[in-house]
Amino acid sequence: MRILRLISVFSCAMVLSALPVLAADIKIGFPGPITGNLGFLGEHMKWGAQLAADEINTSGGLLGGKKIKIIMGDSKCAPAESVSVVERLISQEKVDVLLGDICSGATLADMPIAKREGRPMLVTISSHPAISEKSGVGGNPWVFRTSPTDAIIGALGGKGVLDQGFKSVAFIAEDTDYGRAGVESMRQVLKGKVNITSTDFTAADQTDFLSVLTRLRSQKPEAIAIYLLDRQLFNFMKQYQQFKLKMPLVGRPPLGSGLVTDLVNSGDFNGSWTVFQYLDSYDSKENTAFVASYKKAYGQRPHFAGFAMYEGIQIIAEAIKSAGSTDPEKVREALKNIKYDSILGKIAFDDHHQAHNSILKMTIIDGKLKVTGVVGQ
Amino acid sequence: MFDPLFIAQLLLNGLVVGAAYGLAAIGLTLIFGVLEEVNFAHGELYMLASYSLFAAVSFLGLPYGMAVLLVLPIMALVGFGLSQAAILPNMERPFEVTVLSTLAVAMILQSIVRLTAGSTPVNVDTVFETMTFEIAGILFFGQRVLILIVALLSIIAFAVFLRYSRIGLEMRAVAQNRLACQMVGIDLKRIANWSVVCGVVLTGIAGVTMAPLFDLSPDMGVAIVFKSFAVVIIGGMGSAFGAVVAGILLGVVEAFTTGYGSVAVSEGLFFIIMILVLLIRPHGLFGRTVRI
């Protein structure tokens, strides 16, 4: 009995002595879809963030050996769920820094909480123009963004359509803030110059495009501008292939996604292009190293979501290092002045806390997706 | 836009998409028709059949037909398990107990697939899925034509089973009057097991024939369950024939509204039709009078 009592007292002492170490972790939290139709993107978000944290932790951590702890909550990419995750991350998990959700609608809903609670929030994936319009000067001082806005990507997409001399374009986009903002940005550029034959906004979980494709086959637009995420693009491309259509897909289809690699390689989509902020086969020493460690850790090549979160954690770590503390105000000021060498260029924030790193134009040539242009913003 | 070729193509699209809706809903309506129990695990059973097909094709390297023959007996076993775990023990309890227990099964199945197969979507390639035939300017897609044929064969085979087999006759009897069946010695548990197994196998048939059309993911059952419920409500809860007719009706309406309008219009219309049917015929188009 005495031995048992001794063991239990010793165990309690061990747990209590470990507590201050656990409490000293630097906590970085974010909402993202773990369940729902974007669950696999959430998986990549978590992997990218965890990979960066593991690399930092194994090389000695931050602020004299403190470890980064990643906490992700399931938002299902729905604004209401995302808000409750962020509330919980701040009030219960006591996170030091937040990252944005993947969906623009969810991120926009989370921003006022970051402001109210005074926590820096780095948005790495959401692309709605309103996020940076509402941040920095005259707006939310706590929100920063590395992902380019749809206004910039839409303008580049529109320019691509004009450069190729297309006379008519049909839009197909998911019915979300992301899809609508993307179409609107591109439409602004094309207005009066290109005939927009139809615009379809589909529910984000729509998988069947048979009737839309029937109409497009009959309308014969010269190109189809796409604002769909990976899974919908996969289903769309698969059905498009069955229709044996020949018009190129343009705008912002995620052609670099692992889900559509076989379709891209089939050669049926030659001439299709996209404007995106990352491609896993982008040729640079830093990217090759990142892809290799990602694949080693998770058995898959990185998705853009994984890349964006990996860089996000690295940027936050840089800011904490330069602030010398996890004090929210000091980290925020450090983020304002950061100059981070990202895999695709230098990241620094403007007065609306928007970074301007490179954007890639990629085209399918002979069944391979190739980088055909790197555009500085 | 009033090109006859375009209209013919839309009509064909409506038929094939509608047949898929109907096929996906038959299993749900059957269990309700006989036992008056709503199976909320319906979508996840559909997902499980699709993933089992994927595993049989990708990991065991079986051709599509062989894989289907392997998956359907597995689904029958799953149906038996579902009946034993979530339906039979709750038959004498209030209606919502079965709703909650099948919902729990749905969540468990979804989590098991997410944990074992991961969240990254997968897909099944078959020979039919890449086949496209053009006849007089109208496109026929291999896998979708197969779905239309399978939906029609399933409903015919099932009607024959209900009308001419002893178990089928007993299932119809239980659907009509459960108490009277018990009085004449029909084993209610046996019929309940048979109904759930048949319902799950039919859902499995829908899963394996529709899987090659789209990507597969652990949450894919959620979308199918909503449309299946709409189809079952419009067709009449418990009417297998009603499910197929309602499926085809919705498929055709959806094809024409998307063809002449936009996707957004057709999505709303699906549920507007459901509400209208509920207002005019609360038991659905074929409810009560033509039950299974």
Side-chain angles (χ1 to χ4, degrees):
Chain A
M1 264 321 272
R2 190 173 294 171
I3 290 173
L4 270 178
R5 207 173 296 162
L6 265 175
I7 290 171
S8 58
V9 168
F10 182 71
S11 313
C12 285
M14 289 289 285
V15 169
L16 287 172
S17 67
L19 275 179
V21 178
L22 290 173
D25 281 346
I26 295 168
K27 291 183 177 178
I28 303 176
F30 55 91
I34 295 174
T35 56
N37 69 328
L38 297 179
F40 88 101
L41 292 179
E43 200 165 46
H44 279 281
M45 285 174 85
K46 170 93 178 168
W47 288 346
Q50 194 59 53
L51 182 64
D54 290 346
E55 284 180 7
I56 294 163
N57 292 343
T58 48
S59 60
L62 293 171
L63 307 178
K66 288 186 184 176
K67 305 285 184 210
I68 293 180
K69 188 180 175 192
I70 301 292
I71 308 164
M72 180 183 184
D74 186 12
S75 70
K76 300 182 178 70
C77 241
E81 302 259 4
S82 194
V83 163
S84 69
V85 168
V86 171
E87 297 269 16
R88 184 172 56 78
L89 287 173
I90 295 173
S91 64
Q92 290 174 32
E93 302 287 354
K94 315 271 183 227
V95 295
D96 299 294
V97 185
L98 288 163
L99 283 138
D101 206 319
I102 198 164
C103 298
S104 291
T107 299
L108 281 162
D110 297 336
M111 287 168 61
I113 304 161
K115 187 178 180 183
R116 189 188 72 208
E117 302 291 334
R119 285 289 188 293
M121 177 170 156
L122 183 63
V123 179
T124 60
I125 304 173
S126 302
S127 52
H128 198 284
I131 294 171
S132 40
E133 284 161 18
K134 289 179 176 178
S135 303
V137 152
N140 191 327
W142 295 94
V143 179
F144 296 79
R145 175 159 67 171
T146 53
S147 45
T149 86
D150 288 324
I152 296 165
I153 290 198
L156 288 170
K159 186 176 172 298
V161 169
L162 294 178
D163 288 350
Q164 276 191 281
F166 290 129
K167 299 278 177 291
S168 58
V169 169
F171 279 100
I172 177 143
E174 62 169 40
D175 195 3
T176 59
D177 284 336
Y178 164 72
R180 288 192 176 264
V183 168
E184 193 46 43
S185 318
M186 212 167 150
R187 212 202 298 247
Q188 288 295 329
V189 181
L190 303 180
K191 213 158 125 187
K193 296 171 189 151
V194 172
N195 175 27
I196 294 168
T197 54
S198 63
T199 304
D200 282 286
F201 289 106
T202 78
D205 59 357
Q206 171 86 21
T207 50
D208 206 333
F209 297 95
L210 194 64
S211 299
V212 180
L213 283 162
T214 301
R215 174 154 41 77
L216 295 179
R217 178 174 175 246
S218 160
Q219 284 176 339
K220 298 184 179 61
E222 290 182 14
I224 305 173
I226 306 260
Y227 268 82
L228 299 172
L229 293 183
D230 311 46
R231 287 187 57 191
Q232 283 196 305
L233 180 69
F234 169 82
N235 288 314
F236 183 85
M237 285 174 76
K238 203 169 163 180
Q239 290 160 42
Y240 172 103
Q241 210 175 26
Q242 291 164 357
F243 271 82
K244 303 189 190 305
L245 297 178
K246 294 289 170 213
M247 49 269 220
L249 310 183
V250 300
R252 204 194 182 196
L255 295 172
S257 168
L259 296 191
V260 299
T261 305
D262 288 346
L263 290 159
V264 166
N265 294 346
S266 70
D268 292 342
F269 297 90
N270 287 344
S272 293
W273 53 263
T274 188
V275 182
F276 230 81
Q277 54 270 56
Y278 180 66
L279 180 65
D280 60 357
S281 56
Y282 178 68
D283 190 18
S284 83
K285 207 175 90 190
E286 294 81 5
N287 187 46
T288 310
F290 164 67
V291 172
S293 38
Y294 197 97
K295 209 170 168 213
K296 193 178 164 206
Y298 307 113
Q300 284 186 33
R301 292 175 72 80
H303 184 275
F304 157 67
F307 161 78
M309 296 301 275
Y310 173 84
E311 292 229 305
I313 297 292
Q314 299 282 7
I315 292 165
I316 291 169
E318 278 292 309
I320 292 174
K321 240 191 275 177
S322 107
S325 139
T326 52
D327 176 71
E329 292 206 6
K330 287 186 182 159
V331 175
R332 184 186 68 184
E333 292 312 306
L335 276 171
K336 269 188 192 170
N337 301 312
I338 208 155
K339 299 236 170 350
Y340 173 76
D341 282 319
S342 109
I343 288 173
L344 287 173
K346 199 169 269 312
I347 285 182
F349 297 104
D350 65 14
D351 57 355
H352 277 284
H353 295 179
Q354 172 69 48
H356 298 273
N357 43 339
S358 305
I359 299 174
L360 307 175
K361 177 161 182 195
M362 307 165 219
T363 310
I364 303 177
I365 301 166
D366 298 331
K368 291 269 175 287
L369 187 64
K370 293 183 177 159
V371 176
T372 47
V374 180
V375 190
Q377 293 178 50
Chain B
M1 284 294 268
F2 290 97
D3 171 11
L5 217 61
F6 181 61
I7 294 173
Q9 182 74 58
L10 288 179
L11 197 64
L12 179 72
N13 292 352
L15 271 175
V16 291
V17 171
Y21 288 157
L23 185 59
I26 295 178
L28 183 70
T29 205
L30 166 71
I31 295 173
F32 183 83
V34 180
L35 305 175
E36 296 194 1
E37 302 284 4
V38 182
N39 173 22
F40 269 79
H42 176 74
E44 277 62 31
L45 292 165
Y46 171 88
M47 178 271 292
L48 190 69
S50 304
Y51 263 90
S52 306
L53 180 80
F54 166 74
V57 170
S58 304
F59 301 131
L60 302 180
L62 295 178
Y64 180 53
M66 291 280 284
V68 169
L69 291 179
L70 177 71
V71 171
L72 294 182
I74 294 174
M75 291 310 290
L77 283 176
V78 171
F80 184 72
L82 176 78
S83 173
Q84 293 294 316
I87 295 181
L88 269 184
N90 303 323
M91 277 181 56
E92 301 306 321
R93 295 179 181 154
F95 148 86
E96 55 270 27
V97 177
T98 307
V99 170
L100 287 175
S101 57
T102 52
L103 202 57
V105 170
M107 286 172 179
I108 292 166
L109 287 178
Q110 206 183 106
S111 301
I112 289 173
V113 172
R114 183 171 286 113
L115 286 172
T116 51
S119 299
T120 305
V122 293
N123 67 293
V124 184
D125 290 324
T126 69
V127 279
F128 300 107
E129 177 240 337
T130 48
M131 285 179 191
T132 305
F133 311 97
E134 188 169 344
I135 301 170
I138 300 170
L139 297 178
F140 291 77
F141 306 101
Q143 190 71 30
R144 301 206 186 233
V145 172
L146 180 74
I147 291 171
L148 185 64
I149 295 168
V150 169
L152 293 176
L153 286 180
S154 299
I155 189 86
I156 292 167
F158 192 61
V160 170
F161 172 74
L162 283 178
R163 210 162 284 265
Y164 299 108
S165 75
R166 184 172 174 84
I167 298 285
L169 288 169
E170 286 179 356
M171 280 162 74
R172 289 171 66 202
V174 171
Q176 281 169 15
N177 192 330
R178 199 183 287 186
L179 194 65
C181 289
Q182 282 173 309
M183 284 165 68
V184 296
I186 292 175
D187 182 354
L188 206 57
K189 285 187 179 172
R190 187 166 134 266
I191 297 305
N193 277 332
W194 268 100
S195 308
V196 179
V197 168
C198 288
V200 173
V201 168
L202 283 167
T203 307
I205 292 173
V208 293
T209 46
M210 284 163 71
L213 288 183
F214 312 112
D215 65 337
L216 315 182
S217 74
D219 65 287
M220 63 187 280
V222 179
I224 206 81
V225 87
F226 277 117
K227 284 205 167 163
S228 294
F229 268 114
V231 166
V232 166
I233 289 168
I234 294 170
M237 287 290 263
S239 167
F241 177 70
V244 175
V245 172
I248 289 175
L249 170 77
L250 286 174
V252 170
V253 168
E254 194 179 82
F256 277 89
T257 45
T258 308
Y260 284 104
S262 77
V263 181
V265 177
S266 78
E267 278 167 6
L269 207 65
F270 209 94
F271 292 97
I272 290 174
I273 291 176
M274 187 181 87
I275 292 168
L276 282 178
V277 169
L278 281 176
L279 283 174
I280 300 162
R281 284 183 66 88
H283 296 297
L285 297 177
F286 298 92
R288 289 285 158 94
T289 49
V290 194
R291 210 163 181 191
I292 62 167

